[in-house]
Amino acid sequence: MLDMGCGRGTTTLRLANRLRPRRLFAVDASVALLRTTRDRLGTAGELGSVVCADFHHLPLPDSVADAAVAAFCLYHSPTPGLAVAEIARCLCPGGTAVLVTKSLDSYGELDHLVHAAGLDPHATSRPSLYESFHSGNLHIVAATNLTVIDVHHEEHVFQFSDATHLARYLITTPKYRITLTGGIPNLAKALQQRLSKPPYTTRSTVSYAVAVRP
């Protein structure tokens, strides 16, 4: 099994514990994140190998996996179809891929909050983080190299409980151009002073495609 763009290993750990595959490859371009993934696997670690690689060029043989998961990672690519082609190459014929992404308008409410707080005057006009691979083109991109069996959409509502909670998220997202210095404490203070009382609610559509290699 392949876990593409494994990040800190949340999905990797679930795959290891629930499915107990004979072998699990956790793939990411970040050495630091792979180190965290290896640590989190713990006793399940004998099943898994971490692979530091660009998902457009996987150092894995053809037809090596029965299944692959690519959750919330392919939108980082300007050419997600090439990454899907690599996933298809690594799957055995009849192997299954689960590809997960979000809608173009995900967290649009945050654009307005950041703009209203005066933190980024162009927040509402900046392109979506999911521009290249989103709920609307998920089926099309997946179908370039795989046979799509099903696409499922779920509406998610998420609340930030207070200004610090929101600041912790904003400090990590590459979407906005926030120049305020002082880290999370100063950002939280600015949000608290300039916005209405929390909680702050935001929404997203999370989309899942299940596809197989012909």
Side-chain angles (χ1 to χ4, degrees):
M1 175 166 279
L2 308 180
D3 182 16
M4 307 296 300
C6 65
R8 295 177 175 84
T10 300
T11 300
T12 312
L13 190 61
R14 291 184 179 180
L15 293 172
N17 289 333
R18 295 187 184 186
L19 300 184
R20 305 296 294 183
R22 290 190 302 274
R23 199 70 187 164
L24 175 59
F25 294 98
V27 182
D28 204 280
S30 168
V31 173
L33 292 178
L34 288 174
R35 192 175 296 119
T36 300
T37 296
R38 186 188 291 111
D39 291 343
R40 291 186 70 188
L41 280 172
T43 56
E46 69 273 9
L47 299 173
S49 298
V50 296
V51 179
C52 187
D54 178 344
F55 51 38
H56 303 92
H57 307 285
L58 296 173
L60 297 170
D62 296 352
S63 305
V64 72
D66 298 302
V69 174
F72 309 116
C73 62
L74 296 183
Y75 65 84
H76 291 297
S77 169
T79 54
L82 296 181
V84 173
E86 273 292 86
I87 293 171
R89 179 186 66 78
C90 292
L91 284 173
C92 298
T96 301
V98 179
L99 312 177
V100 189
T101 190
K102 298 182 182 181
S103 55
L104 273 171
D105 62 353
S106 292
Y107 314 126
E109 296 87 354
L110 298 187
D111 297 348
H112 295 281
L113 289 175
V114 171
H115 182 270
L119 298 171
D120 181 350
H122 303 292
T124 56
S125 59
R126 295 201 182 280
S128 171
L129 293 177
Y130 308 96
E131 197 77 22
S132 68
F133 189 64
H134 52 80
S135 299
N137 72 357
L138 170 62
H139 188 290
I140 296 169
V141 175
T144 57
N145 287 278
L146 298 167
T147 299
V148 178
I149 303 302
D150 188 28
V151 176
H152 178 66
H153 304 285
E154 291 182 358
E155 297 303 316
H156 283 216
V157 178
F158 185 80
Q159 285 191 335
F160 294 93
S161 57
D162 55 34
T164 299
H165 191 192
L166 177 55
R168 284 176 179 152
Y169 173 80
L170 293 179
I171 209 79
T172 67
T173 179
K175 181 174 186 178
Y176 308 115
R177 305 295 183 268
I178 299 174
T179 58
L180 183 70
T181 59
I184 291 173
N186 278 7
L187 182 54
K189 183 178 179 180
L191 292 168
Q192 191 172 27
Q193 291 173 341
R194 301 171 189 177
L195 298 179
S196 57
K197 292 183 178 180
Y200 307 109
T201 301
T202 190
R203 296 169 176 80
S204 174
T205 300
V206 177
S207 300
Y208 308 80
V210 179
V212 298
R213 177 183 169 183

